[in-house]
Amino acid sequence: MPALRRSPPLFLLCIAAVCRGHKLELSSPLNAKVALLQPFEYKGCKATLLGNYDFDSKRCFLKDAAAAGSAPVGPAKLAYKATYNFVKSKASLALNGKVGSTTLTTNIEGSKPVKAAVLHTLNAGRFGLSLEPAWLIKAKSGVLSTTTTYSGDKHKVGATIDASLKGELSYDVSYERPLSSGRVASATVVPQKQKLALKYVDARSEPGATWTAKTTIAASNLLRLPAVEVSRVWSF
C-alpha cells in the first residue's frame, strides 16, 4: 500500500482541522476516500459545506465540493445542492420541493437543465410503492421508474422497473436480510445483464466503524472466481 502511505496533501489537513464531521473509507482494490462536512450559517440561513477526496480520481485535490441546504416554504420544503466536480471541471445544481409524499426535482448542469422528475411514494402496511416519471431533457426522452417493496419482520424484498419512451425496459429484484444486530446481507439480480450482486455490511464487529464486502457474479463466467471489494468506513 505504498501510494496511500504518502503524506496527505496539506490542504486536506487544513480542511480537516476546521471541519466538524469527517468520514474516511479505505477499500480494496487499494483506494482512499475522505468525506468532509461543515455546517455553515449566514444571516439566519443554514447550509452544509461538503467535500469529497478520492485518491483514484484526483490525488492532489478534492474530487468535488458542494453546498447543500433546505428551508420550509409554507406547506412545502425546498432543498438545494450545488456541486462543483474538479475532475470534470463541471458545476451542477439539484433543486427539489417536497409536499407531503410528492417530490419535484430539477437537475441543472452548467446553465442547462438536464432532468426534471416527480417522485410520489405510497405506503400501506408493509408494502411500499414509488412512482417516478422523469424527462431527460438532453436526451429528449421520458422514463418511468416504479419501485415496490415488502418489509417483513426479518427480510425486505424489492423490485424496480424502468421503462422509457424509446421502448427500453430494465428491471431488478433485490432481497435484504438482517443476520443479527448491525449485520445485513443483501442480493440483487439484474436479469438483462445476467448478473447477481452480493453485499454484506457489518457495523457491529468494530465499534465506530462499518465493514462492507461486495461482489458481482456474472452468469456468463460462473467458473471464474469473482473479485471481492472490501471497505472500512469510520467517522472521526
Side-chain angles (χ1 to χ4, degrees), residues 85-139:
N85 189 305
F86 294 101
V87 178
K88 299 179 180 180
S89 298
K90 287 186 177 181
S92 61
L93 176 64
L95 300 171
N96 68 67
K98 184 176 182 180
V99 180
S101 57
T102 302
T103 304
L104 286 77
T105 303
T106 300
N107 295 95
I108 302 171
E109 291 184 0
S111 59
K112 298 180 180 179
V114 294
K115 180 181 178 181
V118 179
L119 173 64
H120 185 70
T121 58
L122 297 170
N123 292 288
R126 300 189 177 201
F127 292 91
L129 172 66
S130 67
L131 300 172
E132 185 179 20
W135 178 250
L136 307 179
I137 300 172
K138 188 175 181 179

Side-chain angles (χ1 to χ4, degrees), residues 27-42:
S27 61
S28 177
L30 300 180
N31 189 29
K33 299 178 182 180
V34 180
L36 305 170
L37 173 69
Q38 176 62 47
F40 176 78
E41 184 173 353
Y42 179 72

